[in-house]
Amino acid sequence: MSVRIADSADVDPTASIGEGSSVWHLAQVRDGALIGEQCVVGRGAYIGSGARVGDRCKIQNYALVYEPAVLEDGVFVGPSVVFTNDTFPRAVNPDGSLKSASDWEATGVTVRTGASIGARAVCVAPVVVGRWATVAAGAVVTRDVPDHALMVGVPARRVGWVGRAGVPLEPAERGRWRCPTTGETYEETEAGLALADRPEESEQA
């Protein structure tokens, strides 16, 4: 495998791009950013200084991943998604002077393994999006998202659960939830939902 970087992309020499990854036209990857293997960074996307992106992530066109964001493996970031990093944003100080890099402290968004963030969604730092959760297009996330949660609206609220295939889960026996695509079953935990059984495991039992 090799790294593919478009001629018009702006990748800082101190950034690290993993094997098999692609950085497309007009994308910018800032100093110290770390992008894992087999990732796709779409046209016009922005990866901030020191941001960390795991393996096999897809960051679609014009998404803005401001530092110090952390994306674990297998994360999908839709077109024009924004991860903020300033809890109390101001251009100037109370005395009217222009704020500098030392006048504020960046706070990041963390997206756990397998989660998906829909087009034009906004995640307002500091928040954590749980494993395999789905944030719908246009949603605004202002609080932590449980594992496998389906989040919609402004501000985002949970309206259901999704499995690893991304499909909404259906109620099953004994208070569990079942994926209609894979047949996997899930059960509630303190963090949200967790995989309980795979179909082949149930058959062997």
Side-chain angles (χ1 to χ4, degrees):
M1 294 186 294
S2 60
V3 175
R4 176 184 296 178
I5 299 176
D7 291 340
S8 62
D10 180 5
V11 178
D12 190 275
T14 64
S16 175
I17 313 294
E19 284 292 312
S21 291
S22 299
V23 181
W24 291 105
H25 302 284
L26 303 177
Q28 183 177 14
V29 181
R30 293 284 305 279
D31 53 295
L34 175 62
I35 296 175
E37 297 182 356
Q38 300 180 52
C39 291
V40 177
V41 178
R43 178 185 176 91
Y46 174 87
I47 312 296
S49 302
R52 291 187 293 154
V53 178
D55 296 336
R56 299 175 302 282
C57 293
K58 295 188 72 173
I59 300 172
Q60 302 290 75
N61 296 0
Y62 301 104
L64 304 177
V65 182
Y66 289 110
E67 70 281 358
V70 175
L71 280 59
E72 295 183 348
D73 295 345
V75 167
F76 175 88
V77 179
S80 299
V81 164
V82 178
F83 294 157
T84 74
N85 68 350
D86 195 346
T87 308
F88 304 108
R90 283 287 189 268
V92 295
N93 295 301
D95 63 3
S97 61
L98 183 68
K99 276 185 173 288
S100 68
S102 62
D103 290 330
W104 66 291
E105 183 176 348
T107 57
V109 172
T110 298
V111 185
R112 300 295 188 195
T113 300
S116 294
I117 315 296
R120 294 189 178 277
V122 178
C123 294
V124 181
V127 293
V128 177
V129 178
R131 296 166 181 82
W132 302 101
T134 294
V135 175
V140 177
V141 177
T142 58
R143 62 183 64 184
D144 290 351
V145 173
D147 294 349
H148 292 281
L150 174 59
M151 307 291 291
V152 304
V154 180
R157 66 193 188 282
R158 189 182 69 80
V159 296
W161 301 105
V162 293
R164 296 190 301 173
V167 178
L169 300 178
E170 300 172 343
E173 68 282 353
R174 301 191 304 274
R176 293 186 173 188
W177 298 82
R178 179 182 180 277
C179 176
T181 298
T182 66
E184 294 175 340
T185 58
Y186 298 78
E187 58 187 0
E188 293 193 35
T189 69
E190 290 184 359
L193 288 192
L195 184 64
D197 296 303
R198 294 182 175 87
E200 61 272 15
E201 293 174 349
S202 299
E203 292 172 4
Q204 291 172 2

